[in-house]
Amino acid sequence: MDETKSSPVTRRYLLIATSAVTTIGAAGAAVPFARSWSPSEKAKALGAPIEVDITKLTPGEIFKPAPVWRGKGIIVVYRTPEAVERLEAENRSLADPKSKRSVQPDYAKNLTRSIRPEIGVYLSQCTHLGCVPKYFGKAQPEQFDARWQGGFFCPCHGSKFDLAGRVEKNLPAPTNLEVPVHQFENDNILHVGIDTEEFDE
């Protein structure tokens, strides 16, 4: 018998081993390739959409900790029915009550500045110098003007916004809080950075 020739059994084992090594190598190469398809932290910071699960958010609260999109904090507030009713009433103390000079998508150009009246989504940056406004869910006449019904207060220079992010008259902030593009996947999942048209595609 010629020992230099391999038997069929030996050749079969050799083929199986080679196939296994090739498969493992391909899988190893695919991992970094697959990772390249998911957005990196840098991509997220530059504007990749974020997902916010608001399942546990209850009326009168804001989402904590604040989500971050494009390096900016996002206010997500769950308004009570009473708060929504106040927002829909006429308020002569507001500088831009119908948000004609302020930034928001067309679908948020309404009195609550939102897709859903009870859920408000705003950039957490005062439109004066970019300070972070603090949340006051209800009126606190002992601390502020008795007419103010609560909302967002900028401690840096005193600008006050209602629960729709609309600024009071004669204060440093020139416009209402900005509304970022956003969309709801369902009752509990909010996407910030995705516009309505993009989400429907």
Side-chain angles (χ1 to χ4, degrees), residues 46-185:
L46 291 174
I50 61 169
E51 182 179 293
V52 184
D53 185 345
I54 59 172
T55 305
K56 297 181 179 179
L57 190 61
T58 58
E61 292 184 345
I62 62 170
F63 191 91
K64 291 183 180 180
V68 177
W69 176 65
R70 290 187 173 178
K72 299 174 183 178
I74 300 295
I75 296 169
V76 182
V77 59
Y78 193 155
R79 297 178 283 239
T80 63
E82 295 77 19
V84 171
E85 190 175 343
R86 285 197 303 271
L87 293 178
E88 292 175 342
E90 185 178 6
N91 189 337
R92 296 181 182 277
S93 68
L94 298 173
D96 187 14
K98 295 186 179 179
S99 300
K100 292 181 178 179
R101 304 190 311 272
S102 302
V103 177
Q104 62 277 309
D106 287 342
Y107 48 81
K109 209 165 192 177
N110 50 51
L111 294 178
T112 59
R113 305 184 73 227
S114 59
I115 297 172
R116 290 165 51 183
E118 75 279 15
I119 304 292
V121 182
Y122 310 101
L123 292 189
S124 183
Q125 282 193 325
C126 178
T127 54
H128 177 220
L129 293 175
C131 300
V132 178
K134 294 185 177 181
Y135 172 64
F136 291 86
K138 57 184 178 180
Q140 297 190 6
E142 71 282 0
Q143 191 170 354
F144 301 103
D145 184 335
R147 293 177 307 156
W148 189 53
Q149 296 297 308
F152 308 97
F153 172 72
C154 181
C156 298
H157 302 98
S159 293
K160 296 194 293 286
F161 305 84
D162 69 5
L163 284 170
R166 298 178 298 181
V167 68
E168 297 259 320
K169 288 179 180 177
N170 305 317
L171 293 173
T175 57
N176 302 335
L177 296 179
E178 184 175 339
V179 179
V181 293
H182 62 284
Q183 187 52 265
F184 290 91
E185 181 177 332

Side-chain angles (χ1 to χ4, degrees), residues 33-55:
F33 178 74
R35 283 180 185 160
S36 70
W37 283 84
S38 61
S40 65
E41 291 304 315
K42 183 177 180 181
K44 290 177 184 176
L46 291 174
I50 61 169
E51 182 179 293
V52 184
D53 185 345
I54 59 172
T55 305

Side-chain angles (χ1 to χ4, degrees), residues 16-34:
I16 291 170
T18 304
S19 298
V21 170
T22 303
T23 302
I24 292 169
V31 170
F33 178 74

